[in-house]
Amino acid sequence: MSQNIAETDLFADHRITAMGLFTEAFTGVSAKLANQIVGHKLVMAEFEVLLRLSRSPGGRLRMSDLAAQTSLTTSGITRLIDRLERGGLVERTACPSDRRGLFAQITDLGRARLTDVLPEHLGLIDTWLIDLLEPAELEGFLGALRKIRDAVRPGAAAGTAEPVEDHHAK
Amino acid sequence: MSQNIAETDLFADHRITAMGLFTEAFTGVSAKLANQIVGHKLVMAEFEVLLRLSRSPGGRLRMSDLAAQTSLTTSGITRLIDRLERGGLVERTACPSDRRGLFAQITDLGRARLTDVLPEHLGLIDTWLIDLLEPAELEGFLGALRKIRDAVRPGAAAGTAEPVEDHHAK
DNA sequence: CAAGAGTACTTGACGAGTCAACGACCTGCG
DNA sequence: CGCAGGTCGTTGACTCGTCAAGTACTCTTG
């Protein structure tokens, strides 16, 4: 029953395997973390936004800056901030220098929520990522990730991401 | 680079940075690949399903096996196969030994679509992953990924390598 | 051999994101 | 000045996924 050997080999290329491994490892860790976040009535993207706000001067960022720093569109950020605002974790405040613009501002409740979530979250990162690797191995791993990140997301090192823009043949 | 870690640095922990790097690298590569797939009127999950079907004996798998091998629920698989079937890339066929069950069977059109997509896809994996790393570095990287994958997804090793023909287990 | 329990898939309702098309505002230039 | 053309954020319509419940079948067991 087995023929089409050449074709079959194309479908089982080692590059597919490598990418599959990358995917399984990342989505596996990611699922562990997401699972904890969900237990605190947040989704990953919301947690990430709260974290970025908490680290920004004044605890606030422009909607469009949030969109640039995450992998969401501005419309996605609008809806995400809607949800967080409904929950009292952020509020929208006017931007004095540009009346089109809005700040998303983390509230005390938002910071408190982060403080609830973070310690356990860091522990999970240790358990499912850091502690699995020898120190030297971890260094090599992070170095490889940095090379890849710099290649695929030029200018993202300081936190400014840009939507991938490549469109191919149609 | 570890300095005095005050409590407010909780929000800027090195573990957050490491996980952020993992996320940016993976989502970056993933976006490059997804972008190509979308150019061929598929989404990533559909491409993955076609690939798994093409490598399985008879070009078919049970719906529930597909769900187990991907990160979708059985209900997600139902709707994904609906779309592929509507496009003529797979068909549902009865399972003779269990009348509840269905096979998703890749069609010739489905295989042709894969053959269209794959060569360029493999090239992109080279460009945005493999070729970025020195051979030894790549080995270390894959080794680390394997450790992580084995920790977070016990029993998923068969993922992208060998077809698993094992229904009616337990 | 008939329940009862469990499995395989589908469906309805909904959540979370995208894109395209706004209205509101800002800026540069004739 | 005045307005053409960009940017900021929101909204409507849609896609792709989840969960919970439902239907149809299979397995176990007294």
Side-chain angles (χ1 to χ4, degrees):
Chain A
M1 275 318 217
S2 49
Q3 54 212 48
N4 294 347
I5 296 303
E7 191 173 273
T8 298
D9 284 346
L10 182 61
F11 295 170
D13 192 276
H14 76 281
R15 289 164 285 187
I16 294 284
T17 306
M19 189 61 206
L21 191 53
F22 199 5
T23 301
E24 287 179 1
F26 176 76
T27 59
V29 176
S30 192
K32 299 281 185 190
L33 302 185
N35 196 55
Q36 185 232 346
I37 298 296
V38 165
H40 291 263
K41 300 283 177 280
L42 289 174
V43 300
M44 259 298 188
E46 292 163 355
F47 173 68
E48 185 189 347
V49 162
L50 284 181
L51 199 54
R52 286 186 187 276
L53 291 180
S54 78
R55 291 189 304 209
S56 296
R60 58 201 187 130
L61 282 172
R62 289 285 295 269
M63 302 292 279
S64 46
D65 291 338
L66 278 174
Q69 288 178 26
T70 61
S71 57
L72 297 186
T73 61
T74 66
S75 137
I77 288 291
T78 291
R79 301 189 202 277
L80 188 152
I81 296 294
D82 284 349
R83 299 195 302 270
L84 290 180
E85 194 166 32
R86 220 173 294 133
L89 305 181
V90 306
E91 24 186 59
R92 285 176 165 88
T93 65
C95 173
S97 66
D98 184 342
R99 280 193 299 175
R100 293 168 305 179
L102 290 175
F103 285 109
Q105 164 98 44
I106 191 169
T107 62
D108 289 346
L109 190 57
R111 288 192 194 269
R113 182 69 65 86
L114 266 188
T115 309
D116 279 354
V117 175
L118 261 175
E120 186 188 14
H121 193 74
L122 297 179
L124 289 174
I125 299 178
D126 276 337
T127 301
W128 299 112
L129 182 61
I130 311 281
D131 293 349
L132 296 174
L133 307 177
E134 304 298 329
E137 198 176 17
L138 178 62
E139 265 326 293
F141 181 65
L142 294 178
L145 287 178
R146 220 169 276 123
K147 280 191 182 181
I148 297 164
R149 194 268 317 271
D150 291 347
V152 295
R153 306 182 70 155
T160 308
E162 162 194 11
V164 182
E165 190 80 59
D166 228 26
H167 249 283
H168 266 279
K170 197 261 86 201
Chain B
M1 306 298 182
S2 38
Q3 319 271 358
N4 48 344
I5 307 293
E7 189 180 335
T8 47
D9 283 337
L10 188 63
F11 295 172
D13 191 276
H14 76 280
R15 288 164 284 186
I16 293 285
T17 307
M19 189 62 205
L21 191 53
F22 198 7
T23 302
E24 285 179 3
F26 176 76
T27 59
V29 176
S30 191
K32 299 280 185 191
L33 301 185
N35 197 56
Q36 184 231 347
I37 297 297
V38 165
H40 291 265
K41 297 284 175 277
L42 289 175
V43 301
M44 259 299 187
E46 291 163 355
F47 173 68
E48 185 189 348
V49 161
L50 284 181
L51 199 54
R52 285 184 188 277
L53 292 181
S54 78
R55 292 188 306 209
S56 296
R60 60 200 187 133
L61 282 171
R62 290 284 296 268
M63 302 290 280
S64 45
D65 291 338
L66 279 173
Q69 289 177 26
T70 61
S71 56
L72 298 185
T73 61
T74 65
S75 136
I77 289 291
T78 291
R79 301 191 201 276
L80 186 152
I81 296 295
D82 283 349
R83 298 196 302 270
L84 290 179
E85 194 166 32
R86 218 174 295 134
L89 304 182
V90 306
E91 23 185 61
R92 284 176 165 89
T93 66
C95 173
S97 66
D98 184 343
R99 281 195 297 173
R100 292 167 305 179
L102 290 174
F103 285 108
Q105 164 98 44
I106 191 168
T107 63
D108 289 348
L109 190 57
R111 287 192 194 271
R113 182 69 65 85
L114 266 188
T115 309
D116 280 354
V117 175
L118 261 175
E120 188 188 15
H121 193 75
L122 297 178
L124 288 174
I125 298 178
D126 276 336
T127 302
W128 300 111
L129 182 61
I130 310 281
D131 293 350
L132 296 175
L133 307 176
E134 305 298 330
E137 198 176 17
L138 178 62
E139 266 326 293
F141 181 65
L142 294 178
L145 287 178
R146 231 174 325 259
K147 281 191 182 180
I148 297 164
R149 193 270 316 270
D150 291 347
V152 295
R153 306 182 69 153
T160 51
E162 272 292 309
V164 205
E165 175 85 74
D166 189 47
H167 18 96
H168 102 64
K170 8 194 85 197

